[in-house]
Amino acid sequence: MEQGQWREARRLVREARRVVALTGAGISAESGVPTFRDAGGLWRSYRPEELATPEALIRDPRTVLEWYAWRRSRLSRCRPNAGHRALARFFLKRGEAGLVTQNVDGLHTHAALEEAGDAPPDPALPIELHGAVGRDRCNGCETRWPAEPLADSLPRCASCGDLRRPDVVLFGETLDPEVLERARLLAERADLCLVVGTSAVVYPAAALPLATRESGGHIVEVNVRSTALTEAATVALRGEAGTVLPALLD
Ligand code: APR
């Protein structure tokens, strides 16, 4: 890694008054969670339009719910890695929330709870832009529950009878406006945005680092390769998140 870039990244972290971090699937790759668009990524083997859209959910709910049940069972064997933990320690030490994720795997939350120990984990708890696969919600009345194993009959909401589905944002669905607004305010007020393990092609998430830059802040990107956001970054650190983040933040 180019020494000058590294020194500049450390200076930006050291001098930042407010930090926001946006993470994507790449931060969980070292925990065994497949990314979406890389070689071996989910969208290389599966067609999102058949599995992750509201139309697919209406057309063939069984297949969509089985796919998410499969993803849940895989995730249940995954643990937060050194990258998740370094970010959790960083925000716990700063005592100020700033973590925003596109991931639905819940690994940032696990890292926050484990790194916090008896202390309140709140500063390290993520804003989950795309929801969480560990939760269900009603497709009708939006009631939420912890996820349950899929039974033979399709799961129904006890209050309105509509379909229970994973509490994730499917392609073509809008993000929860309150969740998005909280993330947008964090990004706008930050003077440093750490962008970790995302191809930065999915909006509105990919607009958040640009909001930091537009308000005079800097972007530091951590990724194994260049992305749609690299040109907008003040510093681009190339390497695996599990290696770069502890060295940058601890
Ligand atoms: N460390 C750092 N970066 C990594 C690592 C790693 N160990 N492994 C992969 N990456 C990078 C890749 O180079 C790529 O830029 O992570 C990125 C993963 O990109 P995507 O697979 O496109 O995932 P993401 O950006 O999170 O996708 C955004 O798209 O499919 C939807 O809703 C889904 O939240 C997801 C959104």
Side-chain angles (χ1 to χ4, degrees):
M1 206 171 304
E2 209 262 301
Q3 283 310 317
Q5 289 264 304
W6 191 248
R7 250 194 317 277
E8 176 64 356
R10 285 196 150 207
R11 183 187 70 78
L12 289 169
V13 170
R14 203 173 45 247
E15 293 177 5
R17 283 168 302 110
R18 277 213 178 110
V19 179
V20 66
L22 174 70
T23 68
I27 196 169
S28 296
E30 294 151 74
S31 297
V33 183
T35 65
F36 294 94
R37 295 170 186 84
D38 297 328
L42 288 174
W43 300 147
R44 297 287 184 103
S45 337
Y46 302 96
R47 295 160 51 85
E49 57 278 14
E50 285 170 13
L51 293 165
T53 62
E55 296 76 22
L57 186 64
I58 301 300
R59 192 176 54 241
D60 186 358
R62 166 69 46 193
T63 301
V64 173
L65 296 185
E66 277 175 359
W67 190 65
Y68 277 100
W70 169 75
R71 286 184 66 190
R72 276 184 187 139
S73 71
R74 276 195 71 156
L75 282 173
S76 64
R77 299 191 291 274
C78 300
R79 309 289 313 131
N81 62 54
H84 297 107
R85 295 181 184 288
L87 276 174
R89 285 193 298 274
F90 178 71
F91 285 108
L92 287 168
K93 205 164 46 184
R94 292 182 71 90
E96 197 175 64
L99 183 55
V100 180
T101 189
Q102 299 168 84
N103 301 345
V104 296
D105 57 30
L107 293 180
H108 280 301
T109 302
H110 288 303
L113 297 171
E114 289 162 22
E115 291 296 325
D118 299 335
D122 306 68
L125 291 176
I127 293 177
E128 296 171 316
L129 289 174
H130 297 158
V133 85
R135 272 193 316 263
D136 277 350
R137 85 161 188 263
C138 174
N139 208 37
C141 68
E142 304 246 329
T143 306
R144 285 175 167 80
W145 310 266
E148 280 178 8
L150 194 55
D152 292 343
S153 58
L154 287 178
R156 295 275 163 198
C157 171
S159 9
C160 77
D162 207 320
L163 185 70
R164 276 178 67 138
R165 33 91 39 111
D167 185 17
V168 297
V169 179
L170 302 173
F171 281 104
E173 288 184 328
T174 54
L175 277 61
D176 179 323
E178 263 174 57
V179 169
L180 182 56
E181 183 59 12
R182 277 173 49 216
R184 206 184 53 72
L185 285 175
L186 278 179
E188 233 176 50
R189 292 181 184 153
D191 49 5
L192 176 63
C193 181
L194 294 171
V195 183
V196 183
T198 180
S199 57
V201 296
V202 172
Y203 284 76
L208 295 171
L210 301 175
T212 301
R213 215 182 63 140
E214 272 144 35
S215 54
H218 291 278
I219 296 172
V220 169
E221 181 183 62
V222 176
N223 199 304
V224 290
R225 62 181 68 85
S226 65
T227 75
L229 210 62
T230 301
E231 269 181 34
T234 307
V235 180
L237 302 176
R238 292 284 160 262
E240 295 197 319
T243 307
V244 173
L245 289 175
L248 179 65
L249 302 178
D250 282 345

